[in-house]
Amino acid sequence: MTTPSHKALVPFVSVDNMMRLVHSIGIETMLRDLAEYVEADFKRWELFDKTPRVASHSDVGVIELMPTSDGEAYGFKYVNGHPKNTSEGLQTVTAFGLLADVYTGYPVLFTEMTMLTALRTAATSAMAAKYLAPKGADTMAMIGNGAQSEFQTLAMKAICGLKTVRLFDKDPAATEKCARNLGAFGLNVVRCSSPEEAIEGAQILTTCTADKQNATILTDNMIGAGVHINAIGGDCPGKTELAAGILNRSDVFVEFPPQTRIEGEIQQMPEDFAVTELWEVISGQKQGRRDDKQITLFDSVGFAIEDFSALRYIRDHIKGTEFFIDLDMLADPDDPRDLFGMLQRSDA
Amino acid sequence: MTTPSHKALVPFVSVDNMMRLVHSIGIETMLRDLAEYVEADFKRWELFDKTPRVASHSDVGVIELMPTSDGEAYGFKYVNGHPKNTSEGLQTVTAFGLLADVYTGYPVLFTEMTMLTALRTAATSAMAAKYLAPKGADTMAMIGNGAQSEFQTLAMKAICGLKTVRLFDKDPAATEKCARNLGAFGLNVVRCSSPEEAIEGAQILTTCTADKQNATILTDNMIGAGVHINAIGGDCPGKTELAAGILNRSDVFVEFPPQTRIEGEIQQMPEDFAVTELWEVISGQKQGRRDDKQITLFDSVGFAIEDFSALRYIRDHIKGTEFFIDLDMLADPDDPRDLFGMLQRSDA
């Protein structure tokens, strides 16, 4: 066996190690820290290399690569979306990602991202709510109680001071699971039997349902003045959650317009439907919430820069820990021109 | 520690295990087998999803993702190109790749591809030469004796019956290294002190130099009738090896025209310069070599389908071996909607 040099080794964070890292940091602390990393990258949004995601579609799902770079580091995420997987005991979405050094092209981190994507999505939602939700908002309706719901709730608690969450899912078992999982976090958790009941008294309305169809989880007459809507579930062509009437009454904030116009709630609207880019609010160039009556809507589909922030966070926080192993991923001959000699000598 | 289910595990082939796999199969057998996998995929070229590579450029190099799919499997390669790396003791090119199941979106193989790319590039060159080189060709000039040179030579031996290789590099140390590495393979190895000397009596001329510039490794008056030119080194914008006059006298065969017109030797030529797609020859739709006088030129830049073939080969050949380890890359909760519960239970 050849012993690879340190240059050939790339730190790998497994699912198990990612979970251990979360527990060692504390999930609420980690969500807060992640939100700060995402916020920092939104502030310097303009310097990123923004490629639309590269998608490979089939009849049953999609596989996507989401690359971006800030000129110093390069990151990408592999993510699939297969709604039919759940019925076969598999995850709808799995993901992994990689960070590399732009100067050498060498990878510096390889990590699971199924768990990490749930965390960064929640952190991004809460970071947006910090700028867009009405002052003093402490109650959220959580409509759709699937895999993302607990992460969303805890991020709103850690970052926006949420005290009460009102749960609804068309499947009561999902609500029960979500309420049980949230039991230990000191939140007031209310199980509701309809979307109408869930939104009572809530200043933040989060929709995160999984059906791949144009659904209407929230209708126009349900939405009163002054709320913030955090729409997570409309994230691919043909999949929306909100009535178009709501969009017409809201100020809509998005990540990357070319992507959101295809995948987000605003796919229902004309191509010139006015939106504000969230980074412009974060960097102080545009106003977020204007007054108490305004309906704000974060039409979130997820963007590569959020994954990049999460990869940076993991790179910075595994240093000196035991939460990774080194993978011998890169061939590293003593003489770079002698790859073949390296192969021959390995047979000794 | 949580024990992940088998669904969460992805076989990983490290550099060390890739080298052990090569030795266990035998490098010449492996090159022959790889050429068969590449040939099989060239025969069904039309059914592949062909995306141009997704490149992220910086002042010092490029990082690329190369995805493709045949509808059943999805593969991509990460590859960097940093010519200045060699002077810092690093590889110009490193690569890794992944194969996934289109039906579930779940990865099924993760592997180093620095070594594997050298093997697939050589296998592809030799497969092309089988169709394009003159009958009975048994002597090759190998101009540029860097990391790819031994692989090219052995593939031509294993697949085309090469008996003699004539080496030239502007750095005699590179030639010495190449000759030494090839010593054990029963070839007649001739060290030459000029390109002119190297091509004497050779029916196949392979150019594989590394300078990122428009160089003229072969000039027009060096090329006689009937030879096959295997041009490997012209593989990015601004990097060519052949005089334009040679291209005008040759029948030029390419992998994927939209990519080759940007990256290959034909970047020197007008946009409508006539080329034949190699897959059309392999699948019997177009003629390869026509007669003994024709100059054939394979203007090779490397394409995602060749990596896909190599990934398929590795997936098929690690089964039942010890040449991989399982990586816990995918979160796999018992209930797919209960990702958070999986995280909580891991803290027990």
Side-chain angles (χ1 to χ4, degrees):
Chain A
M1 143 123 207
T2 318
T3 306
S5 88
H6 74 278
K7 290 170 191 161
L9 298 176
V10 179
F12 165 63
V13 181
S14 67
V15 176
D16 187 60
N17 272 327
M18 182 61 74
M19 297 193 295
R20 293 167 68 202
L21 181 68
V22 174
H23 293 306
S24 91
I25 294 171
I27 185 163
E28 291 187 58
T29 303
M30 183 161 170
L31 285 163
R32 254 192 307 268
D33 292 349
L34 269 172
E36 281 175 20
Y37 271 67
V38 174
E39 191 168 357
D41 286 341
F42 270 65
K43 280 187 176 153
R44 58 196 191 110
W45 186 268
E46 283 166 294
L47 65 77
F48 279 88
D49 188 4
K50 288 174 282 291
T51 321
R53 55 179 100 191
V54 184
S56 178
H57 292 276
S58 71
D59 292 343
V60 292
V62 63
I63 295 174
E64 296 176 334
L65 299 174
M66 299 167 68
T68 192
S69 168
D70 69 355
E72 290 189 3
Y74 167 94
F76 81 87
K77 180 166 83 169
Y78 168 106
V79 59
N80 74 298
H82 286 70
K84 61 87 193 159
N85 272 7
T86 310
S87 66
E88 298 166 15
L90 299 171
Q91 287 288 107
T92 299
V93 171
T94 64
F96 64 86
L98 182 116
L99 201 67
D101 176 13
V102 167
Y103 182 70
T104 63
Y106 275 45
V108 297
L109 171 68
F110 177 61
T111 178
E112 87 81 31
M113 284 192 84
T114 310
M115 200 64 81
L116 188 59
T117 297
L119 291 160
R120 74 84 162 135
T121 302
T124 303
S125 283
M127 194 236 1
K130 199 174 71 170
Y131 288 87
L132 301 176
K135 219 174 282 178
D138 63 1
T139 301
M140 175 170 84
M142 181 74 233
I143 299 175
N145 302 154
Q148 180 65 24
S149 59
E150 299 94 339
F151 295 95
Q152 284 286 329
T153 304
L154 283 185
M156 291 292 182
K157 172 174 185 276
I159 293 151
C160 304
L162 193 76
K163 294 196 172 68
T164 298
V165 63
R166 302 177 62 83
L167 306 178
F168 171 74
D169 195 290
K170 65 182 181 181
D171 179 0
T175 301
E176 204 45 51
K177 172 223 61 159
C178 182
R180 193 173 56 238
N181 283 338
L182 289 173
F185 293 92
L187 281 161
N188 179 28
V189 178
V190 185
R191 297 163 177 80
C192 302
S193 55
S194 71
E196 288 78 4
E197 185 186 346
I199 67 175
E200 271 173 32
Q203 304 93 356
I204 300 175
L205 318 183
T206 294
T207 55
C208 191
T209 61
D211 283 347
K212 185 170 177 173
Q213 60 182 12
N214 292 113
T216 308
I217 310 297
L218 296 177
T219 57
D220 196 13
N221 62 3
M222 288 166 71
I223 306 303
V227 300
H228 172 61
I229 305 171
N230 175 40
I232 307 298
D235 62 357
C236 67
K239 183 159 177 273
T240 57
E241 297 180 316
L242 305 183
I246 298 173
L247 303 180
N248 279 320
R249 290 165 55 216
S250 304
D251 287 304
V252 178
F253 299 84
V254 304
E255 289 141 321
F256 185 57
Q259 187 173 304
T260 312
R261 290 192 192 278
I262 295 168
E263 302 175 1
E265 294 300 327
I266 59 169
Q267 66 185 268
Q268 309 174 58
M269 310 308 280
E271 268 184 46
D272 59 351
F273 181 77
V275 297
T276 303
E277 296 188 47
L278 185 60
W279 73 268
E280 296 177 291
V281 176
I282 310 295
S283 64
Q285 298 178 39
K286 293 267 174 81
Q287 202 171 3
R289 174 164 288 271
R290 220 174 34 238
D291 60 52
D292 290 350
K293 298 284 171 60
Q294 184 189 17
I295 301 169
T296 51
L297 166 58
F298 178 37
D299 185 3
S300 174
V301 297
F303 189 61
I305 293 176
E306 295 151 25
D307 300 311
F308 182 89
S309 312
L311 287 165
R312 283 204 302 119
Y313 177 85
I314 298 301
R315 178 198 61 192
D316 293 350
H317 286 77
I318 59 169
K319 280 176 192 157
T321 75
E322 55 180 8
F323 303 133
F324 65 93
I325 59 168
D326 281 322
L327 290 189
D328 165 27
M329 262 174 70
L330 309 175
D332 181 39
D334 302 331
D335 172 358
R337 289 179 312 189
D338 199 11
L339 192 65
F340 191 86
M342 177 183 172
L343 173 61
Q344 275 182 308
R345 286 187 291 276
S346 74
D347 199 23
Chain B
M1 142 123 206
T2 318
T3 307
S5 87
H6 73 278
K7 290 170 192 160
L9 298 176
V10 179
F12 165 62
V13 182
S14 67
V15 176
D16 186 60
N17 272 327
M18 182 61 75
M19 296 193 295
R20 292 167 69 204
L21 180 68
V22 174
H23 294 306
S24 91
I25 294 171
I27 185 164
E28 292 187 58
T29 303
M30 185 163 170
L31 285 163
R32 255 190 309 267
D33 292 350
L34 268 172
E36 281 175 20
Y37 271 67
V38 174
E39 190 168 357
D41 286 341
F42 270 65
K43 281 188 177 153
R44 57 196 191 110
W45 186 268
E46 284 167 294
L47 65 76
F48 279 88
D49 189 4
K50 289 174 282 290
T51 321
R53 55 179 99 190
V54 184
S56 177
H57 293 275
S58 71
D59 292 344
V60 291
V62 63
I63 295 175
E64 296 176 334
L65 300 174
M66 299 167 69
T68 192
S69 169
D70 69 355
E72 291 190 3
Y74 167 94
F76 82 86
K77 180 166 84 170
Y78 168 106
V79 59
N80 75 298
H82 286 70
K84 62 86 192 159
N85 271 7
T86 310
S87 66
E88 298 165 13
L90 299 172
Q91 287 288 107
T92 299
V93 171
T94 64
F96 65 86
L98 181 117
L99 201 67
D101 175 14
V102 167
Y103 182 72
T104 63
Y106 274 46
V108 297
L109 171 69
F110 176 61
T111 178
E112 86 83 30
M113 285 192 83
T114 310
M115 201 62 81
L116 188 57
T117 297
L119 291 160
R120 74 85 161 134
T121 302
T124 303
S125 283
M127 190 224 25
K130 200 175 69 168
Y131 288 88
L132 301 177
K135 217 174 284 180
D138 62 2
T139 301
M140 175 170 84
M142 180 74 234
I143 298 176
N145 301 154
Q148 180 65 24
S149 59
E150 300 93 339
F151 295 95
Q152 285 286 328
T153 304
L154 283 185
M156 291 292 181
K157 171 174 185 276
I159 293 151
C160 304
L162 192 78
K163 293 197 172 69
T164 299
V165 62
R166 303 176 63 83
L167 305 178
F168 171 75
D169 195 290
K170 64 181 181 181
D171 179 0
T175 301
E176 204 45 52
K177 171 223 62 157
C178 182
R180 193 173 56 238
N181 284 339
L182 289 173
F185 293 91
L187 281 161
N188 179 27
V189 179
V190 184
R191 297 162 176 79
C192 301
S193 55
S194 72
E196 288 77 4
E197 185 187 347
I199 67 175
E200 272 172 33
Q203 305 92 356
I204 301 175
L205 317 182
T206 294
T207 54
C208 190
T209 61
D211 283 345
K212 187 171 175 173
Q213 60 181 9
N214 291 113
T216 308
I217 310 297
L218 296 179
T219 56
D220 196 12
N221 61 3
M222 289 166 71
I223 306 302
V227 300
H228 172 60
I229 305 172
N230 175 40
I232 307 298
D235 61 357
C236 66
K239 182 158 176 274
T240 57
E241 298 180 315
L242 305 183
I246 298 173
L247 303 179
N248 280 321
R249 291 164 54 217
S250 304
D251 287 304
V252 178
F253 299 83
V254 304
E255 288 141 322
F256 185 57
Q259 188 173 304
T260 312
R261 289 192 192 278
I262 296 168
E263 301 175 2
E265 294 300 326
I266 59 170
Q267 66 185 270
Q268 309 176 57
M269 310 308 280
E271 267 184 47
D272 60 351
F273 181 77
V275 297
T276 303
E277 296 187 47
L278 185 60
W279 73 268
E280 296 178 291
V281 176
I282 310 295
S283 64
Q285 297 178 37
K286 294 263 175 82
Q287 201 171 4
R289 174 163 288 271
R290 221 173 33 236
D291 60 54
D292 291 350
K293 299 282 171 61
Q294 184 189 16
I295 301 169
T296 52
L297 167 58
F298 178 37
D299 185 2
S300 175
V301 297
F303 190 61
I305 293 175
E306 295 150 26
D307 299 310
F308 182 88
S309 312
L311 287 165
R312 284 203 302 119
Y313 177 85
I314 299 300
R315 178 198 61 192
D316 294 350
H317 285 78
I318 59 169
K319 281 177 192 156
T321 74
E322 55 181 8
F323 304 133
F324 65 94
I325 58 167
D326 282 321
L327 290 189
D328 166 27
M329 261 174 71
L330 309 174
D332 181 37
D334 301 332
D335 171 359
R337 288 179 314 190
D338 199 12
L339 191 65
F340 191 85
M342 176 183 172
L343 173 60
Q344 276 183 307
R345 286 187 291 277
S346 75
D347 199 23

